[in-house]
Amino acid sequence: MTVKINDNFLEQKEINYFKKAILKDNFPWFLAPVTSNDDSLYKQFIHIFYGKHNFNSTYKKLIIPILNKLKPTAIYRIKLNLLTKTQNVVEHPFHIDHKSKNTVSSILYLNTNDGYTGFKDHEKCFSTENRLITFPSYKLHHGSTCTDRDFRIVLNMVYIK
């Protein structure tokens, strides 16, 4: 499997509802490293919907339309990443989401900006609102910041199809 790109993944009303909920001033965001093998150099704000074999968020209803379309048989992790604007686009370190050959990763871009997901053996996938990219979780990739919007938000999902 290579990188699959699916534009207009959700209905417009679904993506609007999702964005409105996560951009409210009372939505819980937490500061965390960009990757698990990362030092304190790169930080982002995250919200974990699903991790450690459980839904950890009271906002679970937001991802139901996404899960209904993806139809995973098992979920490893679902989390939002919010990266703030930087003066120049900053590429984060390459990493994998999961070692298993059975898992796939999907990234849903929630806003259009000049940030992207980069791959060792594939062209960059730029952040375009409502674009879903899917690739094997063991594929080396990295995210980036953006310069043309206040922030870049992506929903990262690791699961078994």
Side-chain angles (χ1 to χ4, degrees):
M1 168 194 242
T2 183
V3 178
K4 292 183 183 177
I5 299 173
N6 184 348
D7 286 329
N8 301 310
F9 178 69
L10 294 174
E11 298 293 325
Q12 194 60 48
K13 65 181 180 180
E14 293 170 327
I15 194 93
N16 289 345
Y17 178 77
F18 191 95
K19 286 175 52 175
K20 185 177 178 181
I22 66 171
L23 294 175
K24 286 186 176 180
D25 61 5
N26 65 344
F27 188 81
W29 291 99
F30 302 92
L31 189 63
V34 168
T35 60
S36 60
N37 60 354
D38 202 7
D39 59 18
S40 62
L41 186 59
Y42 302 107
K43 298 287 186 185
Q44 65 185 345
F45 293 96
I46 66 167
H47 180 90
I48 299 174
F49 286 100
Y50 187 95
K52 298 184 180 177
H53 311 290
N54 285 305
F55 280 97
N56 302 315
S57 175
T58 57
Y59 291 86
K60 174 184 172 183
K61 68 179 180 179
L62 293 176
I63 59 170
I64 298 302
I66 297 163
L67 295 175
N68 287 342
K69 288 191 90 167
L70 292 177
K71 299 184 183 345
T73 57
I75 301 170
Y76 177 71
R77 182 184 69 225
I78 301 174
K79 76 178 177 111
L80 275 171
N81 299 332
L82 184 150
L83 296 131
T84 57
K85 178 181 182 176
T86 52
Q87 187 171 2
N88 299 304
V89 172
V90 175
E91 291 184 349
H92 296 122
F94 278 99
H95 67 279
I96 64 169
D97 287 339
H98 201 277
K99 293 176 185 175
S100 172
K101 301 288 187 203
N102 296 328
T103 59
V104 296
S105 293
S106 289
I107 298 173
L108 178 62
Y109 299 111
L110 294 166
N111 66 329
T112 299
N113 56 72
D114 63 357
Y116 51 85
T117 304
F119 297 90
K120 286 259 189 202
D121 60 351
H122 189 274
E123 62 188 51
K124 296 174 184 171
C125 292
F126 283 89
S127 295
T128 300
E129 181 177 297
N130 205 12
R131 171 178 286 166
L132 181 86
I133 65 169
T134 301
F135 54 93
S137 295
Y138 58 84
K139 190 175 192 63
L140 278 172
H141 66 284
H142 68 83
S144 78
T145 61
C146 68
T147 65
D148 63 342
R149 298 289 183 264
D150 289 335
F151 48 80
R152 176 176 184 250
I153 303 179
V154 302
L155 180 67
N156 178 272
M157 300 162 282
V158 182
Y159 58 97
I160 297 174
K161 190 72 178 145

